[in-house]
Amino acid sequence: MIAWLICATPIFALVKTVVSDSIDSHGAAVLPPYNHLMEASRNMLPKSSLRSISCASHIGTWYNQHGSKLTLETARPPNLLGTFISTVGIESAKEHVGQVVGSVAENGLFAFHVVWNNGTSITAWTGQCQTCGQQDVLLTSWILTEKQASCGDVWKANRFGQDVFKRER
């Protein structure tokens, strides 16, 4: 479970640090309250990057820290539509393509989801668009849920983390 949370970004390094000693009896990571993670991650970013200027538009092509591509074609409140090409997953040798469906608020907050492999799993992202320095970014948290074969296996159905998407220039 911890391997899914490890990433080159400072936020993921923080999650690994906080979670490494917090494993339940099933081997799943137990996170501290969300506010604790956000406050600690805020302290890891340069103060100049914490400007709160909302992005003018979500429309465009975005890439996350793993190289996955998010293309948003319609981002007029409340509709958010596009495509997502993931470069990570169980079968990492191939790309996974999914349709993005979601909502965006006029203040830049948004949520979207992608159904993978005919419903064997689904990922939902929530977040906000910010301009940090000179770069538009989508700061997101996500949860991936996989269908499990039995009630006894449901405890391992969810993976979660954070992505930072940068707009293609």
Side-chain angles (χ1 to χ4, degrees):
M1 181 70 166
I2 302 251
W4 280 87
L5 298 174
I6 299 171
C7 179
T9 65
I11 293 172
F12 283 92
L14 168 71
V15 171
K16 179 183 182 269
T17 301
V18 172
V19 173
S20 61
D21 295 325
S22 305
I23 306 298
D24 70 12
S25 61
H26 298 292
V30 178
L31 284 178
Y34 182 76
N35 289 345
H36 173 73
L37 287 176
M38 289 298 96
E39 185 59 36
S41 67
R42 177 184 305 265
N43 294 332
M44 297 176 81
L45 294 172
K47 297 299 180 203
S48 62
S49 70
L50 297 176
R51 294 187 321 155
S52 296
I53 302 171
S54 294
C55 303
S57 172
H58 292 64
I59 293 174
T61 302
W62 305 81
Y63 290 91
N64 71 9
Q65 67 276 6
H66 302 292
S68 295
K69 180 180 179 181
L70 171 65
T71 303
L72 298 175
E73 299 154 359
T74 303
R76 190 177 306 185
N79 300 319
L80 186 64
L81 301 171
T83 57
F84 192 96
I85 302 173
S86 177
T87 58
V88 298
I90 302 289
E91 305 151 13
S92 59
K94 68 177 192 173
E95 293 181 335
H96 302 277
V97 179
Q99 295 300 306
V100 171
V101 177
S103 298
V104 61
E106 290 183 25
N107 66 1
L109 298 178
F110 63 89
F112 65 87
H113 71 274
V114 175
V115 178
W116 304 107
N117 302 322
N118 296 316
T120 59
S121 64
I122 188 169
T123 307
W125 287 261
T126 63
Q128 56 187 292
C129 190
Q130 293 284 326
T131 302
C132 299
Q134 299 296 319
Q135 178 74 49
D136 287 348
V137 294
L138 301 178
L139 303 168
T140 68
S141 295
W142 56 263
I143 184 165
L144 171 99
T145 302
E146 292 180 302
K147 178 70 175 157
Q148 299 299 313
S150 70
C151 292
D153 289 335
V154 170
W155 66 269
K156 63 181 179 179
N158 296 316
R159 296 183 183 107
F160 49 90
Q162 295 176 318
D163 281 329
V164 176
F165 292 88
K166 293 182 180 180
R167 189 185 299 273
E168 179 181 67
R169 292 186 183 239

